[in-house]
Amino acid sequence: MSLGDEHGHGDPARSGTDAYGGGQTRTRLPDPYGGARRGGRSSSRGLVTVVAVVVLLIAAIAFANRGGGGSSAADSPGKSGGAKAAATAPTGKQPVTTRTAGLPSGFAHDQQGAQSAAANYSVALGSAEMFTTETRHRIVNTVYAPDAAARRQADLDEAYTNAKFLSSIGLDKNGAAPAGQTFVSRVVPVGTKITSLSGDRASVEVWYTSLFGLSGQASTNPVSESWYTTTYQLTWVDNDWKITDFQQKDGPVPVGRDQRASTADDMTKAVEEYGGFTYAR
């Protein structure tokens, strides 16, 4: 199993397919009508809708913060045969405050810590920084266990610097975007689930959406979204969780709505202005 496949768009490290573009990439093209074909709504109906949404949000926030003792589904993986999902809700514990090589680190040696580590590591491995040699080495050496990083570093370097692959996604041989365009590769975790935890080993699933493409007026590979679930195998090394292996699959994929696709300028501005999060379970 090759390590480093985090966005799935012709990823050089995808297992079981042509390493340089053999996997299918499904791109949803913008709606030519921009989602504008909608019936008009009265102001009173709009007000009722807003009030209903506010009420639902207040109820959701109250439920998420009600706290309370006792065990939960998140504390007892597998007890109900996986029939009941563990809610991704605030636990009261603070996110990690330490960083190693610029990445979140120092996760707790428990279920929450393993899930937080997996979520944060998926963000780093799915970032545009993986396409630059120096930052790729920093990320891999930080999130992988030392022996796993040593085994895979050369393979990852070969994959992420392959001219054919880079050309297929619109980048030059150095992984740089054309003038006037911005390369976007960003992972946004939606939820996590621990599937096993035994001593110093854990298995964690991360469900996430991925933004990938080139933002710019002349882009032939516009930014699109995809959905994946990656299962990370983690081990406790040097007082932190580290990746030893992973498996990726498509979905679950939600139904797309008829929203107007943003302009290239708006997309570029959003990517440049909106930073990421440190994820905690």
Side-chain angles (χ1 to χ4, degrees):
M1 172 66 68
S2 296
L3 304 181
D5 180 8
E6 292 306 318
H7 44 69
H9 295 264
D11 193 302
R14 176 178 292 276
S15 176
T17 62
D18 179 352
Y20 309 107
Q24 270 193 328
T25 300
R26 292 173 292 178
T27 302
R28 182 185 178 191
L29 298 178
D31 177 0
Y33 298 101
R37 288 185 171 181
R38 300 178 181 176
R41 295 181 177 179
S42 67
S43 58
S44 61
R45 182 178 178 183
L47 178 59
V48 170
T49 301
V50 170
V51 172
V53 170
V54 171
V55 171
L56 288 174
L57 283 174
I58 292 174
I61 292 171
F63 178 81
N65 290 285
R66 66 184 181 179
S71 61
S72 66
D75 297 323
S76 305
K79 272 194 174 181
S80 57
K84 184 178 180 181
T88 304
T91 62
K93 295 183 179 179
Q94 296 296 316
V96 294
T97 58
T98 56
R99 289 180 175 266
T100 299
L103 301 177
S105 63
F107 299 97
H109 192 191
D110 56 19
Q111 292 186 37
Q112 177 179 309
Q115 292 179 79
S116 297
N120 283 283
Y121 293 166
S122 68
V123 171
L125 290 169
S127 69
E129 292 182 326
M130 287 292 290
F131 289 78
T132 303
T133 300
E134 181 180 353
T135 53
R136 179 174 60 256
H137 287 181
R138 172 175 57 82
I139 291 170
V140 172
N141 288 328
T142 301
V143 307
Y144 285 119
D147 56 344
R151 288 196 310 267
R152 301 299 183 179
Q153 195 70 269
D155 292 338
L156 289 171
D157 285 344
E158 181 180 358
Y160 277 96
T161 58
N162 180 273
K164 183 178 179 181
F165 166 66
L166 293 174
S167 176
S168 71
I169 59 176
L171 304 180
D172 65 19
K173 63 180 182 179
N174 298 314
Q181 298 184 36
T182 300
F183 176 50
V184 180
S185 182
R186 184 177 292 194
V187 160
V188 183
V190 175
T192 61
K193 178 179 70 174
I194 193 156
T195 55
S196 69
L197 177 64
S198 179
D200 291 343
R201 296 187 180 278
S203 178
V204 181
E205 292 185 1
V206 181
W207 178 36
Y208 60 90
T209 183
S210 169
L211 303 179
F212 190 84
L214 288 170
S215 177
Q217 296 294 340
S219 173
T220 58
N221 182 27
V223 178
S224 59
E225 66 171 342
S226 299
W227 291 81
Y228 301 96
T229 297
T230 295
T231 301
Y232 290 97
Q233 306 303 324
L234 305 176
T235 188
W236 187 253
V237 179
D238 295 332
N239 294 316
D240 213 348
W241 291 108
K242 301 293 182 181
I243 299 172
T244 58
D245 201 358
F246 74 90
Q247 298 80 37
Q248 182 192 69
K249 63 181 181 181
D250 289 352
V253 181
V255 175
R257 300 189 62 183
D258 59 343
Q259 291 181 289
R260 181 191 300 272
S262 297
T263 65
D265 288 342
D266 285 344
M267 183 62 69
T268 300
K269 184 179 179 181
V271 170
E272 292 176 346
E273 294 184 354
Y274 291 95
F277 299 97
T278 297
Y279 291 86
R281 183 68 164 90

